[in-house]
Amino acid sequence: MSMRKNFDLSAYLVIGPENTNGRPAARIIAEAVRAGFTFVQIRSKTAEARELIDLTRAAAEIIAAQEKSERVALVVNDRLDVVLAARDAGVKVGGIHVGQSDIPPEICRKYLGADAIVGLSARTSALIDYVRTCDTSCVDYFGAGPLHPTATKPDAGRDAAGHVVTRTIEELAELHRVSPLPVVVGGGVKAADLPALRATGVEGFFVVSTIAGAAHPFAAAEELVHIWRSA
Ligand SMILES: Cc1ncc(COP(=O)(O)OP(=O)(O)O)c(N)n1
Ligand SMILES: Cc1ncsc1CCOP(=O)(O)O
Ligand SMILES: [Mg+2]
């Protein structure tokens, strides 16, 4: 079955070489997937294309080695060129995550095909109206946030006046209620946020630093997965 019809957003790792305090990103991906993370996004604002292709290949091999290729989705942030090059080299990469100022989702769909996963960051202002009315014909899920301000992406949630607008739990519950697509929420997410986030009904949480910056990424990942599943 194509991953597009079968992906699980519940525990979603976003990671790149600049997030790992000098440790290999591949090792942290392996630990998170072993702990039960269900979705991996390769995201780097500093790596060159070749490094991104290599990390995407390594992530796909890690997921395959744990026999999870049919259950753990792998996407690349922003870089349609990297997804195409990785696929051309035989790497099993499921799709792409794009934001409001990135390559449009319909172009991603055109080049990646009907089986690819295309994730879209939901617009910060007027979030609830946006997800209700936006063209979802070629999008598979929404990424929303930030739940808290975050040093990983200081511009997340910035409004025209430069203030960071975070999402309340009530807004996220409403977002879940009105969204035609599954929603994953991130931005400063920590273990303590998960029970309230789960109660909103959203399909999952995404994290960078809670895993990639943790002293013990496996233990951190296991804790998040356990809390989400038992909340
Ligand atoms: C799952 C998920 N949700 C949101 C984002 C943010 O995407 P974007 O707004 O394009 O910002 P960058 O990540 O490209 O800086 C995401 N990456 N993943
Ligand atoms: C990619 C992204 N999009 C919105 S916030 C964010 C970064 C979240 O990072 P962290 O989990 O370290 O706060
Ligand atoms: Mg982007």
Side-chain angles (χ1 to χ4, degrees):
M1 188 194 294
S2 114
M3 279 298 279
R4 188 182 178 198
K5 300 204 164 24
N6 195 33
F7 60 86
D8 177 351
L9 289 172
S10 62
Y12 187 133
L13 176 67
V14 179
I15 188 166
E18 65 265 44
N19 308 129
T20 62
N21 297 328
R23 299 168 295 182
R27 196 175 82 204
I28 294 172
I29 294 168
E31 293 184 23
V33 172
R34 192 155 53 82
F37 265 62
T38 60
F39 208 113
V40 177
Q41 177 189 135
I42 304 299
R43 173 184 182 271
S44 177
K45 301 293 173 175
T46 58
E48 305 281 1
R50 296 285 178 98
E51 190 183 359
L52 282 170
I53 294 165
D54 288 347
L55 181 55
T56 304
R57 179 188 293 106
E61 288 173 358
I62 285 161
I63 293 167
Q66 296 187 29
E67 299 185 349
K68 292 180 174 171
S69 298
E70 303 306 318
R71 282 179 287 144
V72 174
L74 172 64
V75 301
V76 176
N77 183 59
D78 292 350
R79 299 290 300 267
L80 181 58
D81 57 340
V82 169
V83 180
L84 291 170
R87 282 190 164 187
D88 196 59
V91 176
K92 186 175 169 2
V93 50
I96 192 161
H97 185 96
V98 287
Q100 298 290 325
S101 51
D102 299 322
I103 297 175
E106 57 275 18
I107 304 296
C108 297
R109 176 67 63 210
K110 176 176 167 187
Y111 284 94
L112 296 180
D115 285 345
I117 300 169
V118 177
L120 178 68
S121 302
R123 179 173 299 172
T124 303
S125 59
L127 180 74
I128 287 162
D129 279 351
Y130 174 71
V131 300
R132 203 171 12 213
T133 55
C134 111
D135 177 6
T136 55
S137 55
C138 52
V139 177
D140 299 303
Y141 71 87
F142 289 121
L147 186 63
H148 305 292
T150 172
T152 311
K153 184 170 166 59
D155 60 319
R158 277 262 157 87
D159 66 12
H163 302 120
V164 172
V165 180
T166 56
R167 295 295 155 199
T168 65
I169 288 296
E170 292 71 29
E171 261 181 314
L172 293 169
E174 172 73 353
L175 179 66
H176 166 70
R177 211 178 55 72
V178 303
S179 175
L181 295 175
V183 175
V184 62
V185 176
V189 169
K190 305 273 180 291
D193 296 311
L194 296 191
L197 206 48
R198 181 87 205 252
T200 65
V202 297
E203 280 71 13
F205 64 89
F206 70 88
V207 286
V208 180
S209 47
T210 299
I211 303 295
H216 302 288
F218 176 79
E222 201 173 42
E223 182 189 22
L224 295 182
V225 168
H226 174 74
I227 294 173
W228 185 264
R229 286 188 186 153
S230 53

